[in-house]
Amino acid sequence: MPLTCRGRVRGQEPSRGDVDDALGKFSLTLIDTLDTLVLLNKTTEFEEAVRRVLRDVRLDNDIVVSVFETNIRVLGGLLGGHSMAVMLKDTGYHMQWYQDELLHMAKDVGLRLLPAFNTSSGLPYPRVSPQTIHKTTAVGICPDHIHSCVHTHTATVFRSLVHARRALDFLWEKRQRNSNLVGTTINIHSGEWVRRDSGVGAGIDSYYEYLLKAYILLGDDLFLQRFNIHYASIMKYISQPPLLLDVHIHKPLLPARTWMDSLLAFFPGLQVLKGDIRPAIETHEMLYQVTKKHNFLPEAFTTDFRVHWAQHPLRPEFAESTYFLYKATKDPYYLEVGRTVLDNLNRFARVPCGFAAMKDVRTGSHEDRMDSFFLAEMFKYLFLLFAEEEDLTFNVEDYIFTTEAHLLPLSLSTAPHAPSPANATSEEELDDSNFDWTCPNTRLLFPDPAFPRNLRDPIRSAVDKSCPRPAIHREPGMGRPPLRAQDFMANNPDHLELLRRMGVSLIHLKDGRVQLVQHATQAVSAVAAEDGMRFMQEMMELSSQQQKEQLPPRAVQIVSHPFFGRVVLTSGPAQFGTDLSKSIMGVRGFVTVAEPYSGCAELSNAAFVQGRIALLQRGQCMFAEKARHIMKAGAIGGIVIDDNEGSSSDTAPLFQMAGDGRNTDDVTLPLLFLFYKEGNILLEALKEYREVEIHWRGQLDIRRDVQEEEEDCSTDQTSPVPAATLDQSHVRTVEQDESAPHNEEVTPEEDVGPAIKRNPEPEEEPEVDKDSSRKSVEAMMADWREDLEAFQQMEDEL
């Protein structure tokens, strides 16, 4: 969990549904990345990691897990770690104590997965409990099974796993005989296809990968023959260079959908292993241009290369194909591709505790997630792409990568094994005379060095029909990535310097907000001007998102003597903590000023705050930190009062408080924000009467109409970009159900920055007369005293 800087333990964090099925309380990330440590020449760390696995990991946890994910990540990780341990032990310098312990654990995992195969068809249940080794049946979560989960079991490559081979043979028999394609989802009991669409992406990718890799690893011709038959159909029906589109298995000329998913990005790499280089270059180039268009490869994108599903969980398949194409061609172009992937990871995904998955590639919002495959695969492929021969301590060519990039030795292909079952299929059916059995020499295949470029250029034009981004070449000595809108801090000197270099000026308005204006001609270079243009567009997008997702205002009603509920103050909500809009009763309690007033340290008057609503001043730290301090003191709620004199809900837009970029589920009390004018009324009442009770209702009854202004995003090199006006509060992507950024707190002293209020043509704000503001408060207090006297007279008469 790279945003909250802690590990995710299943059951201790809010459930994420099927995503958590990979977690089985068996140190998934540690096991999955064992062989990565060896590849990076971290031998000492690897040895310590193996000892930790042997000492701490339990495999018999009573928890239902994904058979597929456990197989590729845990069993595969143990086998990859064992391969590396044996290799190091053979050198005579490391792991001399090792006695195949990881291999024995891998066997244990395999045995615990076997009950999942106890079905009539031999196809496994998708989920199983590791404790079912002691039971007779597996946990049958659902009868339908994504069949890539079946074929990944051949990744264990032990011919003794009869169950996995039986499942593989069954699926081969269930292929559509006319198209030679298989569907995506099959009923594991009846063997009938539930989803009859076929492609090379999600739900089917591992099947094709392991048919070919099982042949390479085991030397069994049957696997290659089956792969070649499928591959011919893929190229005939699914491949529409540079696209790979799903089709119906019974009507393969009929497209099944108009979008592609990111998992198909592995296929160019598989085509390289097959030796079919040209279509690999074309599809890879299409994927690269989509990556450049959106910074990352979206989970799904349309045939016209727009975002279909905006997530990007740091999947490594595109980097994998880039590595294989570079190994096959030695074309330095693929080093440039890898550089782009690496730069985007560092610019947009890197956070203090790792790399965070992208919740939305369009807004740059993050998800508190870094799956184990990022370290197991992405790190491997990018390192190998750029590694020189002297950087590697062993010959990678002696190994094959599993679907999780674990290293298994090719020496397994020379081990004796039983012949293929004679009744698996007929010789006539497996006629393979039309296929080459060796990979081509790319120098002979492409004698003209310009030939690959001639393949790529038309694809580049087709994908990026809009203004293409120029290649980013940073100025010498700059050493810093361009600034992203969600990271901008109005009080950060480094950020202000980056704005200056991009031609963006910052103007402080009288109401405490800041205005951004860009003049491209004032940027230090054309590249910096382009960065500034993108920064301003991001600011506008963030502003638009915020205006669309405004939470309704909240009401603070003073109910104690002498006000009796006739004074209602408009307040802004918090995007974390208790949501009072879902509460009928709201919160009622007496208020008291926290000490320190900022709430940025443990309260010295905690005993007095307990059971009350704490009043805090905005500034010096994040809202969530204030909330945690008053919650620790026992407060039942908190009200943050603006420190910007003269601010008022009558003239300023509704202010919404957001978290600090970390998980705020621990904050369980409600929090509100009052502008200076409304907060001063409450403070004056407290000063006058000492005991002031308020009733905090979930929603204001009277709502103000908010007029949204049209935005004109057109810009040129001579005209200034429309100004973005920002409140002096922090903008950072806040992780919620919707992938949209929200406001966070900032003051000139804080290490945080601004929340956007879009205003293309800001009007001059009038000066705030502090004396008149003070008089208005005094006049209101005088009215209350008159009302008090009237109430007293009524009581006397009664």
Side-chain angles (χ1 to χ4, degrees):
M1 299 173 65
L3 297 180
T4 50
C5 297
R6 63 178 188 267
R8 176 175 287 277
V9 180
R10 187 169 169 183
Q12 294 183 9
E13 302 291 339
S15 174
R16 302 174 300 173
D18 293 346
V19 175
D20 283 338
D21 287 348
L23 307 178
K25 294 188 176 181
F26 34 46
S27 300
L28 179 68
T29 301
L30 178 63
I31 292 175
D32 207 8
T33 56
L34 285 174
D35 51 6
T36 303
L37 291 170
V38 179
L39 188 70
L40 300 178
N41 198 22
K42 301 291 184 180
T43 308
T44 302
E45 289 87 343
F46 170 74
E47 192 159 356
E48 173 60 23
V50 172
R51 292 185 186 275
R52 284 177 178 268
V53 170
L54 300 180
R55 183 186 68 219
D56 299 334
V57 172
R58 290 174 51 94
L59 300 173
D60 61 347
N61 303 308
D62 188 13
I63 187 169
V64 175
V65 297
S66 165
V67 177
F68 172 70
E69 298 294 349
T70 303
N71 188 66
I72 66 172
R73 301 201 208 187
V74 181
L75 192 147
L78 292 170
L79 290 177
H82 168 69
S83 299
M84 295 293 96
V86 170
M87 181 271 294
L88 290 173
K89 185 176 181 179
D90 288 344
T91 64
Y93 297 105
H94 305 283
M95 302 294 294
Q96 297 304 300
W97 55 270
Y98 183 70
Q99 297 295 327
D100 297 342
E101 289 88 349
L102 293 178
L103 183 60
H104 297 314
M105 289 185 70
K107 180 180 178 181
D108 189 11
V109 173
L111 290 174
R112 293 181 184 280
L113 295 178
L114 281 185
F117 291 82
N118 291 337
T119 62
S120 57
S121 66
L123 301 178
Y125 287 105
R127 292 169 183 80
V128 69
S129 168
Q131 287 191 344
T132 54
I133 188 174
H134 305 300
K135 303 175 184 177
T136 57
T137 58
V139 178
I141 304 300
C142 63
D144 299 333
H145 183 71
I146 297 177
H147 70 261
S148 65
C149 305
V150 178
H151 297 292
T152 310
H153 295 292
T154 61
T156 61
V157 299
F158 295 128
R159 294 296 299 272
S160 59
L161 290 182
V162 179
H163 293 280
R165 182 58 179 263
R166 178 189 171 200
L168 180 65
D169 292 341
F170 183 87
L171 194 58
W172 168 255
E173 289 298 320
K174 288 298 180 179
R175 76 191 186 282
Q176 212 289 323
R177 297 303 177 100
N178 292 323
S179 66
N180 280 316
L181 296 173
V182 288
T184 303
T185 308
I186 192 170
N187 187 296
I188 63 176
H189 299 303
S190 67
E192 296 297 322
W193 291 110
V194 177
R195 285 185 54 191
R196 301 184 179 186
D197 50 313
S198 183
V200 295
I204 198 170
D205 50 339
S206 295
Y207 173 36
Y208 299 129
E209 181 177 9
Y210 274 109
L211 280 177
L212 182 57
K213 289 185 176 180
Y215 161 70
I216 297 172
L217 191 61
L218 299 176
D220 189 335
D221 294 351
L222 184 63
F223 292 117
L224 180 62
Q225 291 168 337
R226 289 179 177 179
F227 173 80
N228 281 336
I229 290 172
H230 283 312
Y231 186 77
S233 295
I234 291 171
M235 299 308 292
K236 181 178 181 180
Y237 300 118
I238 295 172
S239 177
Q240 302 179 32
L243 308 180
L244 293 166
L245 297 177
D246 282 23
V247 298
H248 294 276
I249 59 175
H250 293 88
K251 299 178 180 180
L253 297 178
L254 183 64
R257 64 189 188 189
T258 58
W259 48 270
M260 295 166 278
D261 65 77
S262 62
L263 286 174
L264 62 77
F266 90 101
F267 199 69
L270 193 66
Q271 290 179 305
V272 171
L273 287 182
K274 161 68 180 170
D276 203 0
I277 306 296
R278 175 172 180 149
I281 291 175
E282 293 177 320
T283 298
H284 179 274
E285 182 62 25
M286 178 270 294
L287 295 169
Y288 180 42
Q289 295 305 320
V290 173
T291 297
K292 291 206 297 183
K293 195 179 188 72
H294 303 292
N295 294 323
F296 296 97
L297 200 61
E299 274 289 78
F301 51 94
T302 62
T303 53
D304 58 352
F305 316 112
R306 293 177 297 164
V307 172
H308 184 68
W309 296 337
Q311 304 91 337
H312 174 75
L314 307 180
R315 295 201 185 276
E317 285 77 15
F318 179 66
E320 175 186 0
S321 289
T322 303
Y323 166 67
F324 278 112
L325 273 168
Y326 179 68
K327 290 290 290 185
T329 65
K330 294 299 180 182
D331 188 341
Y333 177 80
Y334 296 107
L335 296 179
E336 298 178 17
V337 174
R339 173 71 175 272
T340 300
V341 173
L342 193 61
D343 285 347
N344 286 345
L345 284 171
N346 280 319
R347 288 178 58 187
F348 306 127
R350 190 162 195 157
V351 293
C353 292
F355 292 81
M358 307 304 296
K359 195 170 189 177
D360 193 320
V361 298
R362 296 164 300 188
T363 63
S365 59
H366 288 142
E367 187 176 357
D368 197 5
R369 169 183 176 186
M370 186 178 74
D371 288 88
S372 64
F373 54 68
F374 180 74
L375 299 176
E377 299 184 67
M378 183 74 85
F379 267 29
K380 278 197 189 84
Y381 290 127
L382 288 178
F383 176 77
L384 288 171
L385 176 63
F386 296 105
E388 302 291 346
E389 186 174 347
E390 58 270 19
D391 296 326
L392 301 175
T393 57
F394 64 96
N395 188 2
V396 181
E397 302 299 328
D398 291 338
Y399 297 83
I400 192 169
F401 293 104
T402 70
T403 195
E404 191 75 2
H406 294 306
L407 295 160
L408 297 181
L410 288 174
S411 57
L412 287 174
S413 62
T414 62
H417 55 79
S420 301
N423 61 348
T425 187
S426 66
E427 292 184 4
E428 180 180 359
E429 192 177 50
L430 291 178
D431 179 17
D432 206 32
S433 59
N434 293 326
F435 298 101
D436 294 330
W437 286 69
T438 58
C439 293
N441 185 314
T442 55
R443 293 184 181 179
L444 298 178
L445 187 64
F446 304 135
D448 181 5
F451 181 72
R453 185 172 68 248
N454 295 334
L455 290 178
R456 292 191 289 256
D457 286 347
I459 298 171
R460 181 182 298 113
S461 301
V463 174
D464 201 0
K465 294 178 181 178
S466 59
C467 299
R469 296 179 182 176
I472 297 178
H473 300 288
R474 297 287 156 214
E475 297 172 31
M478 225 180 140
R480 292 174 295 191
L483 184 62
R484 303 250 12 228
Q486 68 264 25
D487 298 325
F488 174 57
M489 303 174 187
N491 59 303
N492 188 312
D494 291 337
H495 290 184
L496 297 178
E497 172 62 16
L498 283 174
L499 289 186
R500 185 193 66 79
R501 298 181 71 87
M502 294 188 296
V504 179
S505 57
L506 182 145
I507 303 171
H508 289 271
L509 301 179
K510 296 177 181 178
D511 63 353
R513 295 177 295 163
V514 293
Q515 182 184 36
L516 298 175
V517 181
Q518 189 204 22
H519 295 271
T521 54
Q522 296 179 5
V524 297
S525 68
V527 172
E530 196 267 345
D531 287 338
M533 196 82 66
R534 190 181 306 123
F535 173 80
M536 295 295 289
Q537 290 171 350
E538 288 178 358
M539 280 291 189
M540 295 172 189
E541 290 171 4
L542 292 178
S543 173
S544 176
Q545 289 284 354
Q546 287 177 331
Q547 289 183 355
K548 291 177 182 177
E549 300 188 10
Q550 289 278 318
L551 296 174
R554 305 290 188 252
V556 175
Q557 189 176 26
I558 305 179
V559 297
S560 59
H561 173 91
F563 310 107
F564 302 112
R566 290 175 300 145
V567 177
V568 179
L569 307 175
T570 302
S571 61
Q575 297 166 353
F576 60 96
T578 302
D579 184 1
L580 291 182
S581 65
K582 301 176 182 178
S583 171
I584 299 176
M585 301 301 296
V587 171
R588 183 167 180 153
F590 290 92
V591 298
T592 187
V593 177
E595 296 178 5
Y597 187 25
S598 67
C600 294
E602 191 169 332
L603 301 191
S604 60
N605 62 337
F608 194 63
V609 169
Q610 185 175 8
R612 293 174 172 250
I613 298 172
L615 301 183
L616 308 146
Q617 186 179 43
R618 179 186 179 187
Q620 301 183 29
C621 66
M622 308 299 288
F623 289 132
E625 184 177 349
K626 299 175 189 289
R628 292 185 179 100
H629 283 135
I630 63 172
M631 189 169 69
K632 184 177 180 181
I636 61 173
I639 296 179
V640 179
I641 299 175
D642 195 7
D643 61 345
N644 179 28
E645 293 189 17
S647 66
S648 169
S649 62
D650 295 331
T651 58
L654 181 68
F655 186 83
Q656 302 179 57
M657 299 180 291
D660 53 4
R662 299 185 298 158
N663 191 317
T664 54
D665 291 342
D666 60 317
V667 178
T668 56
L669 52 67
L671 205 67
L672 288 184
F673 179 88
L674 287 177
F675 282 107
Y676 182 85
K677 177 182 176 182
E678 288 77 7
N680 202 39
I681 292 173
L682 189 57
L683 290 173
E684 288 291 334
L686 184 61
K687 184 186 299 182
E688 182 77 15
Y689 296 101
R690 295 191 178 181
E691 290 294 325
V692 174
E693 187 179 14
I694 65 171
H695 184 201
W696 184 341
R697 289 181 290 157
Q699 191 165 314
L700 199 62
D701 294 330
I702 302 174
R703 304 189 183 192
R704 294 173 297 166
D705 293 330
V706 180
Q707 181 179 0
E708 296 187 2
E709 302 180 34
E710 295 291 332
E711 294 185 25
D712 181 9
C713 295
S714 60
T715 58
D716 55 41
Q717 293 296 316
T718 57
S719 302
V721 173
T725 306
L726 312 110
D727 182 10
Q728 282 275 18
S729 52
H730 184 44
V731 168
R732 186 176 294 171
T733 303
V734 180
E735 305 302 329
Q736 295 187 344
D737 291 340
E738 297 295 331
S739 53
H742 303 282
N743 305 0
E744 270 187 300
E745 182 189 15
V746 73
T747 67
E749 294 80 28
E750 296 177 73
D751 185 21
V752 283
I756 304 176
K757 168 66 178 175
R758 179 76 179 94
N759 185 4
E761 296 297 335
E763 298 178 357
E764 194 69 25
E765 297 287 339
E767 288 282 345
V768 178
D769 188 340
K770 298 178 184 178
D771 292 335
S772 64
S773 177
R774 172 68 181 175
K775 291 176 182 177
S776 64
V777 173
E778 293 176 349
M780 185 175 292
M781 297 295 291
D783 292 339
W784 291 336
R785 293 188 183 96
E786 292 178 2
D787 292 338
L788 175 60
E789 293 173 0
F791 274 105
Q792 289 174 342
Q793 290 177 2
M794 291 172 59
E795 291 174 355
D796 293 338
E797 292 173 358
L798 293 174

